[in-house]
Amino acid sequence: MASFKTVMKSGHPPTLFAAFLYFDFCFAIWVLNGAMGPFITETYKLTPAQTGFMISLPIMAGAIMRFPLGVLAQYIGRKNAAITEMSLIIAAMAFGFFLVDTFDEVLAMGVLLGIAGASFGVALSLGSGWFPPEHKGLAMGIAGAGNSGTVLAVLFAPPLAQAYGWQAVYGFAGLVMLIPLLVMIVFAKEPPDREHQSLKEHVACLFEKDGWAFSLVYVITFGGFIGLSNFLPTFFYEQFAVTKIEAGRLTMLAAIMGSGIRIVGGYFADRVGGILVLSVVLLAAIASFLLLTSAPSLALTTILFMLCFAALGAGNGALFQLVPLRWPTNTAVAGSMIGEVGALGGAILPNVMGFSKQYTGSFAVGFIAYAAIAALVLGCLYLWQRNWVGAWVGPRGKVLAPPARAPLPEGRLEPAAV
């Protein structure tokens, strides 16, 4: 296996860093309402179902915006698409700072936060576009580790909200967004793997079974990650009566695991195969969800969430090791489509948890439902991989080796290059 230094030399590290930073700050802004959930709930005296909907709205909006941004990136370039998106985010944060004052305006702000959630496919394709196929898993894992933006949100948003008011956090976020924007402008270079295709060719993955298969897996891995990341501050606050700031810190512990392990998932997917890694992490996620139904102590619950997030994060890295192997010429579009469906799965989770709490008095039903869906997807993955291996990917999900050349007859020499 190539060393990290060798992998970096095979691509363009400044672009990879710019893509990571872009995704990291976008992700932090995308989950702001989730990080400030206890403050907003207290301000407007929301029911659990209303809180779940308020938290899920940015996820749904971001999911819907992902695919159009991915298509746009194929025409204007991924770097230009990223710059355009970050400029719009700064304008949206100004709206939040100056104009949000009612619950309806919070919901409108949730839609605007979705602009930040659209960054996924563009960031991963931009970051990995300079790297050869055998190293794209690690490169995508590094770019995708930008979902550590959740850590930034839950670490800084609650203290700032308590000190200055939660509306002021939107203003701070808009100012900070200037950092990845400047880095993108100065250091990133458009990758050379862009191909000029028709719109029909770009959106072909929408009509392929493999695209929807990948999307269903991502409903569990990324959907679980983003859904729980947004809901955990409210969960800890209501389930264990901790302070709003403590709820953010506990969420941070789980989010760190999910973000950091994404890189490890991409690395091991390159090494042992993405399909194998996905199978293992889905089993781990199912076990974690089921153990959480017993409503264990705060310490044990935190540990279980850390393990669950680690599994989901590794699954995200492993899945996107496979995407550029399946769609090598329009990874941004395919990644955006898969990310869109996966994020929509994440929007379901806060609503399920909110209704579970409101109508049963417990979050257990929500955990059982997600565990059941994960088990179904694991079974489907076992069936799908029979058609994948040998067609576009190697055993267990590794890079498919080129066909061996037949040996030349004895005494024959290779033809000279012309």
Side-chain angles (χ1 to χ4, degrees):
M1 188 69 182
S3 67
F4 181 78
K5 185 176 181 180
T6 301
V7 173
M8 289 299 101
K9 284 184 176 181
S10 71
H12 190 252
T15 300
L16 180 58
F17 174 71
F20 163 78
L21 208 62
Y22 155 55
F23 189 39
D24 193 55
F25 280 75
C26 283
F27 212 100
I29 286 177
W30 192 23
V31 301
L32 272 183
N33 278 3
M36 299 189 298
F39 293 91
I40 298 172
T41 297
E42 185 176 72
T43 299
Y44 299 110
K45 304 297 186 286
L46 304 181
T47 66
Q50 287 177 314
T51 299
F53 178 69
M54 181 269 295
I55 291 173
S56 70
L57 194 56
I59 306 176
M60 288 188 286
I64 292 169
M65 295 178 193
R66 282 182 168 194
F67 190 75
L69 184 66
V71 174
L72 177 66
Q74 294 292 76
Y75 288 96
I76 69 173
R78 285 154 283 189
K79 177 178 177 177
N80 289 335
I83 291 171
T84 301
E85 182 190 13
M86 285 187 277
S87 301
L88 291 173
I89 290 169
I90 293 172
M93 293 304 101
F95 170 84
F97 179 69
F98 290 109
L99 299 177
V100 170
D101 196 41
T102 67
F103 181 57
D104 286 342
E105 289 165 351
V106 170
L107 296 181
M109 189 62 199
V111 176
L112 293 179
L113 290 177
I115 298 171
S119 59
F120 175 75
V122 175
L124 268 65
S125 179
L126 176 64
S128 66
W130 285 96
F131 292 83
E134 62 270 21
H135 299 319
K136 282 188 182 292
L138 179 58
M140 279 202 163
I142 293 172
N147 57 24
S148 59
T150 301
V151 177
L152 298 178
V154 298
L155 182 62
F156 292 107
L160 289 172
Q162 186 160 294
Y164 301 101
W166 55 266
Q167 292 93 336
V169 177
Y170 298 129
F172 287 118
L175 292 175
V176 172
M177 198 70 204
L178 292 170
I179 297 173
L181 177 60
L182 292 174
V183 170
M184 181 67 67
I185 292 171
V186 174
F187 295 105
K189 292 173 61 178
E190 184 68 21
D193 61 344
R194 178 180 167 196
E195 290 196 5
H196 296 284
Q197 298 176 321
S198 67
L199 179 62
K200 181 179 179 180
E201 290 172 318
H202 282 317
V203 302
C205 57
L206 281 172
F207 308 99
E208 296 176 0
K209 293 180 180 178
D210 288 351
W212 291 100
F214 277 46
S215 297
L216 288 176
V217 176
Y218 212 53
V219 164
I220 301 301
T221 58
F222 181 75
F225 177 88
I226 186 63
L228 287 174
S229 295
N230 275 270
F231 196 76
L232 277 190
T234 298
F235 172 85
F236 281 121
Y237 180 68
E238 294 187 0
Q239 185 78 0
F240 296 102
V242 299
T243 68
K244 302 180 185 72
I245 294 177
E246 287 173 335
R249 291 172 178 168
L250 290 169
T251 302
M252 178 193 69
L253 294 175
I256 287 175
M257 291 294 292
S259 304
I261 298 296
R262 181 166 190 152
I263 300 175
V264 178
Y267 171 82
F268 277 102
D270 281 338
R271 188 168 186 177
V272 303
I275 295 173
L276 177 60
V277 174
L278 279 173
S279 300
V280 173
V281 301
L282 284 173
L283 282 171
I286 293 167
S288 300
F289 283 128
L290 292 177
L291 289 171
L292 284 164
T293 62
S294 64
S297 65
L298 176 60
L300 186 53
T301 296
T302 304
I303 292 172
L304 285 173
F305 274 125
M306 291 175 69
L307 293 174
C308 181
F309 270 60
L312 297 174
N316 293 333
L319 182 71
F320 273 86
Q321 175 259 355
L322 297 171
V323 170
L325 303 181
R326 178 62 181 82
W327 293 280
T329 61
N330 53 356
T331 303
V333 177
S336 296
M337 176 259 190
I338 293 164
E340 179 168 329
V341 179
L344 285 172
I348 294 170
L349 194 146
N351 285 292
V352 170
M353 300 298 282
F355 281 115
S356 175
K357 177 67 173 178
Q358 183 162 326
Y359 293 107
T360 71
S362 167
F363 293 108
V365 173
F367 290 129
I368 292 173
Y370 228 70
I373 298 171
L376 177 63
V377 170
L378 177 60
C380 291
L381 179 63
Y382 175 76
L383 299 176
W384 294 330
Q385 58 92 26
R386 295 180 178 182
N387 296 324
W388 295 348
V389 174
W392 54 267
V393 74
R396 302 183 303 279
K398 297 182 70 174
V399 174
L400 185 63
R405 295 181 61 184
L408 293 173
E410 188 174 355
R412 290 283 302 278
L413 299 176
E414 288 278 2
V418 293

